[in-house]
Amino acid sequence: MARFTGYQTSAMLIFVIATMMILPGLATLAPSPSNFMFLEECKSKLHVGCGKEIVITIIKGWSISDRCCMELVSMGQSCHFSLVNKALSSPLPKLNKLDALTKSAEIWNQCFEFSQFLSPATSPSSEE
């Protein structure tokens, strides 16, 4: 199995980050204005450092920090999956998109469970 060199990994990471953070709308032929605005709104909810951390976590399988986990959950599931799908819609050599989508879902589930652990919903009877 081929392994990435540091240069190849860095180049791929820069490309993915640029796709997710800087070049919205270019991966599709005719993005609708509402979809473009939705993606822009999603990006504005996530600190750039956390966006990079999430991308690295998806590509390399690292763990995500608690702070970025909480930002991801506060951004919302639809935003997370929309940004990931947007980034994966452009050609990314040597990146298994199915694995990336699977890892993305794992990250979401892990972060959501973590957020529930930190701030469990109050039951209606405790609010009386």
PDB file of all heavy atoms in Angstrom, residues 41-70:
ATOM      1  N   GLU A  41     -22.946  30.743   5.213  1.00  0.00           N
ATOM      2  CA  GLU A  41     -23.438  30.885   6.584  1.00  0.00           C
ATOM      3  C   GLU A  41     -22.845  29.779   7.468  1.00  0.00           C
ATOM      4  O   GLU A  41     -22.455  30.037   8.612  1.00  0.00           O
ATOM      5  CB  GLU A  41     -24.964  30.810   6.593  1.00  0.00           C
ATOM      6  CG  GLU A  41     -25.578  31.074   7.938  1.00  0.00           C
ATOM      7  CD  GLU A  41     -27.094  31.053   7.880  1.00  0.00           C
ATOM      8  OE1 GLU A  41     -27.676  31.617   6.929  1.00  0.00           O
ATOM      9  OE2 GLU A  41     -27.685  30.461   8.796  1.00  0.00           O
ATOM     10  N   CYS A  42     -22.777  28.576   6.927  1.00  0.00           N
ATOM     11  CA  CYS A  42     -22.189  27.460   7.680  1.00  0.00           C
ATOM     12  C   CYS A  42     -20.728  27.742   8.004  1.00  0.00           C
ATOM     13  O   CYS A  42     -20.285  27.538   9.141  1.00  0.00           O
ATOM     14  CB  CYS A  42     -22.299  26.159   6.883  1.00  0.00           C
ATOM     15  SG  CYS A  42     -23.973  25.521   6.734  1.00  0.00           S
ATOM     16  N   LYS A  43     -19.974  28.192   7.020  1.00  0.00           N
ATOM     17  CA  LYS A  43     -18.556  28.480   7.244  1.00  0.00           C
ATOM     18  C   LYS A  43     -18.358  29.558   8.293  1.00  0.00           C
ATOM     19  O   LYS A  43     -17.404  29.505   9.064  1.00  0.00           O
ATOM     20  CB  LYS A  43     -17.881  28.899   5.940  1.00  0.00           C
ATOM     21  CG  LYS A  43     -17.674  27.766   4.979  1.00  0.00           C
ATOM     22  CD  LYS A  43     -16.841  28.108   3.768  1.00  0.00           C
ATOM     23  CE  LYS A  43     -16.941  29.490   3.261  1.00  0.00           C
ATOM     24  NZ  LYS A  43     -16.225  29.734   2.023  1.00  0.00           N
ATOM     25  N   SER A  44     -19.272  30.522   8.337  1.00  0.00           N
ATOM     26  CA  SER A  44     -19.122  31.614   9.297  1.00  0.00           C
ATOM     27  C   SER A  44     -19.349  31.148  10.736  1.00  0.00           C
ATOM     28  O   SER A  44     -18.935  31.829  11.673  1.00  0.00           O
ATOM     29  CB  SER A  44     -20.085  32.755   8.965  1.00  0.00           C
ATOM     30  OG  SER A  44     -21.414  32.385   9.261  1.00  0.00           O
ATOM     31  N   LYS A  45     -19.965  30.000  10.918  1.00  0.00           N
ATOM     32  CA  LYS A  45     -20.230  29.478  12.257  1.00  0.00           C
ATOM     33  C   LYS A  45     -19.057  28.693  12.834  1.00  0.00           C
ATOM     34  O   LYS A  45     -19.104  28.298  13.988  1.00  0.00           O
ATOM     35  CB  LYS A  45     -21.451  28.556  12.226  1.00  0.00           C
ATOM     36  CG  LYS A  45     -22.746  29.246  11.871  1.00  0.00           C
ATOM     37  CD  LYS A  45     -23.876  28.243  11.811  1.00  0.00           C
ATOM     38  CE  LYS A  45     -25.168  28.894  11.385  1.00  0.00           C
ATOM     39  NZ  LYS A  45     -26.246  27.892  11.294  1.00  0.00           N
ATOM     40  N   LEU A  46     -18.036  28.455  12.012  1.00  0.00           N
ATOM     41  CA  LEU A  46     -16.929  27.610  12.424  1.00  0.00           C
ATOM     42  C   LEU A  46     -15.619  28.383  12.317  1.00  0.00           C
ATOM     43  O   LEU A  46     -15.311  28.948  11.272  1.00  0.00           O
ATOM     44  CB  LEU A  46     -16.883  26.366  11.522  1.00  0.00           C
ATOM     45  CG  LEU A  46     -15.960  25.244  11.905  1.00  0.00           C
ATOM     46  CD1 LEU A  46     -16.385  24.623  13.231  1.00  0.00           C
ATOM     47  CD2 LEU A  46     -15.967  24.170  10.828  1.00  0.00           C
ATOM     48  N   HIS A  47     -14.860  28.419  13.393  1.00  0.00           N
ATOM     49  CA  HIS A  47     -13.562  29.068  13.405  1.00  0.00           C
ATOM     50  C   HIS A  47     -12.654  28.364  12.389  1.00  0.00           C
ATOM     51  O   HIS A  47     -12.683  27.148  12.252  1.00  0.00           O
ATOM     52  CB  HIS A  47     -12.969  28.988  14.814  1.00  0.00           C
ATOM     53  CG  HIS A  47     -11.677  29.708  14.953  1.00  0.00           C
ATOM     54  ND1 HIS A  47     -10.475  29.077  14.776  1.00  0.00           N
ATOM     55  CD2 HIS A  47     -11.396  30.999  15.244  1.00  0.00           C
ATOM     56  CE1 HIS A  47      -9.510  29.957  14.953  1.00  0.00           C
ATOM     57  NE2 HIS A  47     -10.045  31.127  15.239  1.00  0.00           N
ATOM     58  N   VAL A  48     -11.843  29.123  11.666  1.00  0.00           N
ATOM     59  CA  VAL A  48     -10.981  28.563  10.624  1.00  0.00           C
ATOM     60  C   VAL A  48     -10.069  27.467  11.185  1.00  0.00           C
ATOM     61  O   VAL A  48      -9.875  26.428  10.558  1.00  0.00           O
ATOM     62  CB  VAL A  48     -10.146  29.672   9.944  1.00  0.00           C
ATOM     63  CG1 VAL A  48      -9.150  29.084   8.968  1.00  0.00           C
ATOM     64  CG2 VAL A  48     -11.052  30.655   9.228  1.00  0.00           C
ATOM     65  N   GLY A  49      -9.531  27.674  12.379  1.00  0.00           N
ATOM     66  CA  GLY A  49      -8.661  26.671  12.989  1.00  0.00           C
ATOM     67  C   GLY A  49      -9.381  25.351  13.209  1.00  0.00           C
ATOM     68  O   GLY A  49      -8.806  24.282  13.007  1.00  0.00           O
ATOM     69  N   CYS A  50     -10.646  25.427  13.599  1.00  0.00           N
ATOM     70  CA  CYS A  50     -11.424  24.200  13.788  1.00  0.00           C
ATOM     71  C   CYS A  50     -11.752  23.557  12.438  1.00  0.00           C
ATOM     72  O   CYS A  50     -11.776  22.331  12.325  1.00  0.00           O
ATOM     73  CB  CYS A  50     -12.697  24.474  14.570  1.00  0.00           C
ATOM     74  SG  CYS A  50     -12.395  24.716  16.333  1.00  0.00           S
ATOM     75  N   GLY A  51     -11.992  24.364  11.439  1.00  0.00           N
ATOM     76  CA  GLY A  51     -12.226  23.811  10.102  1.00  0.00           C
ATOM     77  C   GLY A  51     -11.030  23.004   9.630  1.00  0.00           C
ATOM     78  O   GLY A  51     -11.172  21.890   9.121  1.00  0.00           O
ATOM     79  N   LYS A  52      -9.836  23.550   9.831  1.00  0.00           N
ATOM     80  CA  LYS A  52      -8.616  22.831   9.454  1.00  0.00           C
ATOM     81  C   LYS A  52      -8.462  21.554  10.273  1.00  0.00           C
ATOM     82  O   LYS A  52      -8.096  20.506   9.747  1.00  0.00           O
ATOM     83  CB  LYS A  52      -7.396  23.726   9.658  1.00  0.00           C
ATOM     84  CG  LYS A  52      -7.316  24.870   8.685  1.00  0.00           C
ATOM     85  CD  LYS A  52      -6.126  25.764   8.991  1.00  0.00           C
ATOM     86  CE  LYS A  52      -6.093  26.960   8.065  1.00  0.00           C
ATOM     87  NZ  LYS A  52      -4.965  27.862   8.362  1.00  0.00           N
ATOM     88  N   GLU A  53      -8.753  21.657  11.564  1.00  0.00           N
ATOM     89  CA  GLU A  53      -8.631  20.489  12.442  1.00  0.00           C
ATOM     90  C   GLU A  53      -9.587  19.381  12.017  1.00  0.00           C
ATOM     91  O   GLU A  53      -9.229  18.199  12.012  1.00  0.00           O
ATOM     92  CB  GLU A  53      -8.899  20.893  13.888  1.00  0.00           C
ATOM     93  CG  GLU A  53      -8.677  19.775  14.882  1.00  0.00           C
ATOM     94  CD  GLU A  53      -8.856  20.241  16.317  1.00  0.00           C
ATOM     95  OE1 GLU A  53      -8.466  21.383  16.650  1.00  0.00           O
ATOM     96  OE2 GLU A  53      -9.387  19.443  17.097  1.00  0.00           O
ATOM     97  N   ILE A  54     -10.799  19.747  11.637  1.00  0.00           N
ATOM     98  CA  ILE A  54     -11.780  18.762  11.195  1.00  0.00           C
ATOM     99  C   ILE A  54     -11.315  18.093   9.905  1.00  0.00           C
ATOM    100  O   ILE A  54     -11.406  16.870   9.756  1.00  0.00           O
ATOM    101  CB  ILE A  54     -13.166  19.412  11.034  1.00  0.00           C
ATOM    102  CG1 ILE A  54     -13.703  19.812  12.408  1.00  0.00           C
ATOM    103  CG2 ILE A  54     -14.140  18.478  10.325  1.00  0.00           C
ATOM    104  CD1 ILE A  54     -14.890  20.749  12.359  1.00  0.00           C
ATOM    105  N   VAL A  55     -10.783  18.870   8.979  1.00  0.00           N
ATOM    106  CA  VAL A  55     -10.280  18.309   7.722  1.00  0.00           C
ATOM    107  C   VAL A  55      -9.142  17.334   7.988  1.00  0.00           C
ATOM    108  O   VAL A  55      -9.119  16.219   7.446  1.00  0.00           O
ATOM    109  CB  VAL A  55      -9.823  19.430   6.756  1.00  0.00           C
ATOM    110  CG1 VAL A  55      -9.061  18.866   5.575  1.00  0.00           C
ATOM    111  CG2 VAL A  55     -11.018  20.234   6.289  1.00  0.00           C
ATOM    112  N   ILE A  56      -8.206  17.720   8.843  1.00  0.00           N
ATOM    113  CA  ILE A  56      -7.084  16.830   9.178  1.00  0.00           C
ATOM    114  C   ILE A  56      -7.594  15.558   9.840  1.00  0.00           C
ATOM    115  O   ILE A  56      -7.121  14.461   9.548  1.00  0.00           O
ATOM    116  CB  ILE A  56      -6.067  17.556  10.087  1.00  0.00           C
ATOM    117  CG1 ILE A  56      -5.360  18.662   9.302  1.00  0.00           C
ATOM    118  CG2 ILE A  56      -5.047  16.575  10.663  1.00  0.00           C
ATOM    119  CD1 ILE A  56      -4.521  19.591  10.168  1.00  0.00           C
ATOM    120  N   THR A  57      -8.573  15.698  10.709  1.00  0.00           N
ATOM    121  CA  THR A  57      -9.145  14.542  11.390  1.00  0.00           C
ATOM    122  C   THR A  57      -9.796  13.594  10.393  1.00  0.00           C
ATOM    123  O   THR A  57      -9.642  12.375  10.483  1.00  0.00           O
ATOM    124  CB  THR A  57     -10.165  14.988  12.455  1.00  0.00           C
ATOM    125  OG1 THR A  57      -9.512  15.862  13.372  1.00  0.00           O
ATOM    126  CG2 THR A  57     -10.737  13.815  13.208  1.00  0.00           C
ATOM    127  N   ILE A  58     -10.500  14.135   9.415  1.00  0.00           N
ATOM    128  CA  ILE A  58     -11.142  13.298   8.397  1.00  0.00           C
ATOM    129  C   ILE A  58     -10.089  12.595   7.545  1.00  0.00           C
ATOM    130  O   ILE A  58     -10.184  11.397   7.290  1.00  0.00           O
ATOM    131  CB  ILE A  58     -12.090  14.138   7.515  1.00  0.00           C
ATOM    132  CG1 ILE A  58     -13.308  14.583   8.321  1.00  0.00           C
ATOM    133  CG2 ILE A  58     -12.529  13.348   6.280  1.00  0.00           C
ATOM    134  CD1 ILE A  58     -14.193  15.584   7.619  1.00  0.00           C
ATOM    135  N   ILE A  59      -9.060  13.316   7.126  1.00  0.00           N
ATOM    136  CA  ILE A  59      -8.060  12.742   6.222  1.00  0.00           C
ATOM    137  C   ILE A  59      -7.111  11.783   6.926  1.00  0.00           C
ATOM    138  O   ILE A  59      -6.839  10.691   6.444  1.00  0.00           O
ATOM    139  CB  ILE A  59      -7.267  13.865   5.519  1.00  0.00           C
ATOM    140  CG1 ILE A  59      -8.191  14.631   4.572  1.00  0.00           C
ATOM    141  CG2 ILE A  59      -6.081  13.305   4.759  1.00  0.00           C
ATOM    142  CD1 ILE A  59      -7.557  15.850   3.950  1.00  0.00           C
ATOM    143  N   LYS A  60      -6.618  12.185   8.071  1.00  0.00           N
ATOM    144  CA  LYS A  60      -5.586  11.402   8.754  1.00  0.00           C
ATOM    145  C   LYS A  60      -6.115  10.516   9.877  1.00  0.00           C
ATOM    146  O   LYS A  60      -5.369   9.717  10.419  1.00  0.00           O
ATOM    147  CB  LYS A  60      -4.503  12.321   9.308  1.00  0.00           C
ATOM    148  CG  LYS A  60      -3.723  13.026   8.226  1.00  0.00           C
ATOM    149  CD  LYS A  60      -2.492  13.646   8.797  1.00  0.00           C
ATOM    150  CE  LYS A  60      -1.610  14.145   7.672  1.00  0.00           C
ATOM    151  NZ  LYS A  60      -0.222  14.074   7.993  1.00  0.00           N
ATOM    152  N   GLY A  61      -7.356  10.694  10.250  1.00  0.00           N
ATOM    153  CA  GLY A  61      -7.925   9.873  11.310  1.00  0.00           C
ATOM    154  C   GLY A  61      -7.476  10.269  12.704  1.00  0.00           C
ATOM    155  O   GLY A  61      -7.532   9.463  13.620  1.00  0.00           O
ATOM    156  N   TRP A  62      -7.038  11.507  12.867  1.00  0.00           N
ATOM    157  CA  TRP A  62      -6.642  11.987  14.189  1.00  0.00           C
ATOM    158  C   TRP A  62      -7.892  12.243  15.016  1.00  0.00           C
ATOM    159  O   TRP A  62      -9.010  12.197  14.524  1.00  0.00           O
ATOM    160  CB  TRP A  62      -5.822  13.256  14.068  1.00  0.00           C
ATOM    161  CG  TRP A  62      -4.491  13.071  13.411  1.00  0.00           C
ATOM    162  CD1 TRP A  62      -3.925  11.880  13.024  1.00  0.00           C
ATOM    163  CD2 TRP A  62      -3.571  14.084  13.036  1.00  0.00           C
ATOM    164  NE1 TRP A  62      -2.714  12.096  12.437  1.00  0.00           N
ATOM    165  CE2 TRP A  62      -2.464  13.446  12.438  1.00  0.00           C
ATOM    166  CE3 TRP A  62      -3.561  15.457  13.150  1.00  0.00           C
ATOM    167  CZ2 TRP A  62      -1.361  14.140  11.965  1.00  0.00           C
ATOM    168  CZ3 TRP A  62      -2.468  16.152  12.679  1.00  0.00           C
ATOM    169  CH2 TRP A  62      -1.377  15.494  12.101  1.00  0.00           C
ATOM    170  N   SER A  63      -7.692  12.576  16.280  1.00  0.00           N
ATOM    171  CA  SER A  63      -8.842  12.919  17.117  1.00  0.00           C
ATOM    172  C   SER A  63      -9.045  14.430  17.075  1.00  0.00           C
ATOM    173  O   SER A  63      -8.130  15.191  16.783  1.00  0.00           O
ATOM    174  CB  SER A  63      -8.635  12.431  18.545  1.00  0.00           C
ATOM    175  OG  SER A  63      -7.505  13.050  19.110  1.00  0.00           O
ATOM    176  N   ILE A  64     -10.254  14.832  17.383  1.00  0.00           N
ATOM    177  CA  ILE A  64     -10.626  16.242  17.323  1.00  0.00           C
ATOM    178  C   ILE A  64     -10.662  16.805  18.743  1.00  0.00           C
ATOM    179  O   ILE A  64     -11.023  16.103  19.682  1.00  0.00           O
ATOM    180  CB  ILE A  64     -11.987  16.394  16.600  1.00  0.00           C
ATOM    181  CG1 ILE A  64     -12.326  17.849  16.345  1.00  0.00           C
ATOM    182  CG2 ILE A  64     -13.082  15.684  17.338  1.00  0.00           C
ATOM    183  CD1 ILE A  64     -13.511  18.033  15.422  1.00  0.00           C
ATOM    184  N   SER A  65     -10.281  18.048  18.890  1.00  0.00           N
ATOM    185  CA  SER A  65     -10.266  18.676  20.218  1.00  0.00           C
ATOM    186  C   SER A  65     -11.692  18.901  20.717  1.00  0.00           C
ATOM    187  O   SER A  65     -12.643  18.988  19.928  1.00  0.00           O
ATOM    188  CB  SER A  65      -9.521  20.010  20.171  1.00  0.00           C
ATOM    189  OG  SER A  65     -10.273  20.959  19.436  1.00  0.00           O
ATOM    190  N   ASP A  66     -11.824  19.007  22.024  1.00  0.00           N
ATOM    191  CA  ASP A  66     -13.136  19.232  22.632  1.00  0.00           C
ATOM    192  C   ASP A  66     -13.741  20.548  22.146  1.00  0.00           C
ATOM    193  O   ASP A  66     -14.933  20.622  21.842  1.00  0.00           O
ATOM    194  CB  ASP A  66     -13.018  19.254  24.157  1.00  0.00           C
ATOM    195  CG  ASP A  66     -12.611  17.907  24.733  1.00  0.00           C
ATOM    196  OD1 ASP A  66     -12.660  16.893  23.999  1.00  0.00           O
ATOM    197  OD2 ASP A  66     -12.242  17.876  25.924  1.00  0.00           O
ATOM    198  N   ARG A  67     -12.920  21.598  22.050  1.00  0.00           N
ATOM    199  CA  ARG A  67     -13.412  22.909  21.620  1.00  0.00           C
ATOM    200  C   ARG A  67     -13.977  22.843  20.199  1.00  0.00           C
ATOM    201  O   ARG A  67     -15.071  23.341  19.936  1.00  0.00           O
ATOM    202  CB  ARG A  67     -12.289  23.944  21.690  1.00  0.00           C
ATOM    203  CG  ARG A  67     -12.720  25.345  21.263  1.00  0.00           C
ATOM    204  CD  ARG A  67     -11.587  26.343  21.346  1.00  0.00           C
ATOM    205  NE  ARG A  67     -10.491  26.061  20.444  1.00  0.00           N
ATOM    206  CZ  ARG A  67     -10.444  26.476  19.168  1.00  0.00           C
ATOM    207  NH1 ARG A  67     -11.421  27.206  18.672  1.00  0.00           N
ATOM    208  NH2 ARG A  67      -9.413  26.186  18.418  1.00  0.00           N
ATOM    209  N   CYS A  68     -13.242  22.201  19.299  1.00  0.00           N
ATOM    210  CA  CYS A  68     -13.712  22.104  17.913  1.00  0.00           C
ATOM    211  C   CYS A  68     -14.918  21.176  17.801  1.00  0.00           C
ATOM    212  O   CYS A  68     -15.795  21.386  16.966  1.00  0.00           O
ATOM    213  CB  CYS A  68     -12.584  21.648  16.994  1.00  0.00           C
ATOM    214  SG  CYS A  68     -11.320  22.913  16.758  1.00  0.00           S
ATOM    215  N   CYS A  69     -14.965  20.178  18.653  1.00  0.00           N
ATOM    216  CA  CYS A  69     -16.129  19.291  18.699  1.00  0.00           C
ATOM    217  C   CYS A  69     -17.385  20.097  19.035  1.00  0.00           C
ATOM    218  O   CYS A  69     -18.428  19.947  18.388  1.00  0.00           O
ATOM    219  CB  CYS A  69     -15.893  18.221  19.763  1.00  0.00           C
ATOM    220  SG  CYS A  69     -16.222  16.554  19.221  1.00  0.00           S
ATOM    221  N   MET A  70     -17.264  20.953  20.030  1.00  0.00           N
ATOM    222  CA  MET A  70     -18.413  21.758  20.433  1.00  0.00           C
ATOM    223  C   MET A  70     -18.800  22.762  19.344  1.00  0.00           C
ATOM    224  O   MET A  70     -19.982  23.001  19.108  1.00  0.00           O
ATOM    225  CB  MET A  70     -18.127  22.468  21.761  1.00  0.00           C
ATOM    226  CG  MET A  70     -17.979  21.517  22.941  1.00  0.00           C
ATOM    227  SD  MET A  70     -19.386  20.396  23.173  1.00  0.00           S
ATOM    228  CE  MET A  70     -20.635  21.549  23.701  1.00  0.00           C
TER     229      MET A  70
END
